[in-house]
Amino acid sequence: MRHLPYAIGLFMLSPLFIWAALWLAFPGPKPGITDAPFIASLIGISIPLAFYHYIAGLAFIANSIEGGAGEVRPRWTPARWLQKAMIPLTAISSLAAIIWLVQLDIRPVYVAVLALSGALLTFGLIKAEGGQGPFNIHLTLASAVRGSVRLFQSILMNLPLIGALMREIARNPHRAAPYLVANIVLGAILYIWLFGFVALVIPAMLLVPVAFYLMMTLAAD
């Protein structure tokens, strides 16, 4: 019974396996991948991280069935090996994506962003596995992140228009918050009208590794 969650988890991935088989079976341009290599690369290097937590979720159930405390590290050896393999897989996929972008003559700034994202993802997975030494740098960076947030809040509160709106929200959120939401929605509509929908997709993808790193540092202590 303790292997049943892993069997169900593997079955739930069957649509992904079918999609991959069809993707390999039909050559030619792949819309959404070959025409957007940077976005496809960001998604690609994030897949091992998703699988790491997917295995952790299955392990929580399997360990509970086995009578364990429900810890997220698998007791079943093959699942544990597969979970650990996500660390080198992240590094390898990041290197492969960098080489691919360089071959496509993508602008160096995008290659640098991808390299930084891959490094942060690899760093986070190593730390999740209990990495010591230089991987404990997040303990000191957590204080720096909090200080930066306080500094940003202070600057935001002192801006002429936005600061007044934020102070009004702090005083009476039920009255001021709807106006802030309305302004954000209208600004997003104007942004999409000027630059297209991709103008929202790219910042969202870039913020994925940033949010992951911020959560790791803020939860450090």
Side-chain angles (χ1 to χ4, degrees):
M1 287 294 293
R2 65 190 181 94
H3 296 154
L4 182 61
Y6 297 112
I8 295 175
L10 184 63
F11 173 75
M12 291 175 64
L13 292 176
S14 57
L16 179 62
F17 297 143
I18 295 174
W19 175 85
L22 293 174
W23 190 85
L24 294 173
F26 295 95
K30 304 297 192 299
I33 298 179
T34 54
D35 57 347
F38 178 64
I39 300 299
S41 298
L42 285 176
I43 295 174
I45 65 175
S46 302
I47 290 176
L49 175 65
F51 272 109
Y52 183 92
H53 290 286
Y54 185 70
I55 296 171
L58 297 176
F60 186 92
I61 302 174
N63 293 344
S64 300
I65 292 176
E66 194 177 354
E71 59 272 11
V72 296
R73 293 187 178 180
R75 293 186 175 185
W76 188 37
T77 304
R80 183 69 180 127
W81 287 348
L82 184 61
Q83 190 182 41
K84 285 185 175 181
M86 295 301 107
I87 298 175
L89 184 59
T90 300
I92 293 172
S93 62
S94 299
L95 181 60
I98 290 171
I99 295 174
W100 183 43
L101 293 184
V102 170
Q103 290 177 342
L104 294 175
D105 292 328
I106 301 298
R107 293 173 59 182
V109 63
Y110 292 113
V111 179
V113 169
L114 180 69
L116 179 61
S117 301
L120 288 176
L121 291 174
T122 306
F123 175 92
L125 287 177
I126 293 176
K127 185 57 195 176
E129 286 294 318
Q132 302 297 320
F135 298 103
N136 280 332
I137 190 174
H138 72 296
L139 294 174
T140 56
L141 287 179
S143 299
V145 170
R146 291 191 178 96
S148 300
V149 170
R150 286 193 293 268
L151 178 62
F152 177 75
Q153 181 182 7
S154 176
I155 295 174
L156 190 64
M157 288 297 186
N158 287 289
L159 291 177
L161 181 60
I162 300 178
L165 181 60
M166 291 299 174
R167 290 192 295 271
E168 181 63 25
I169 291 175
R171 286 193 297 266
N172 190 349
H174 297 289
R175 188 182 71 172
Y179 293 102
L180 177 64
V181 173
N183 278 289
I184 292 176
V185 171
L186 292 175
I189 293 174
L190 179 62
Y191 193 51
I192 295 173
W193 180 69
L194 291 174
F195 302 105
F197 183 72
V198 70
L200 292 181
V201 175
I202 293 178
M205 293 301 303
L206 292 177
L207 286 175
V208 170
V210 175
F212 172 72
Y213 182 70
L214 288 177
M215 286 188 293
M216 180 183 65
T217 54
L218 292 174
D221 53 1

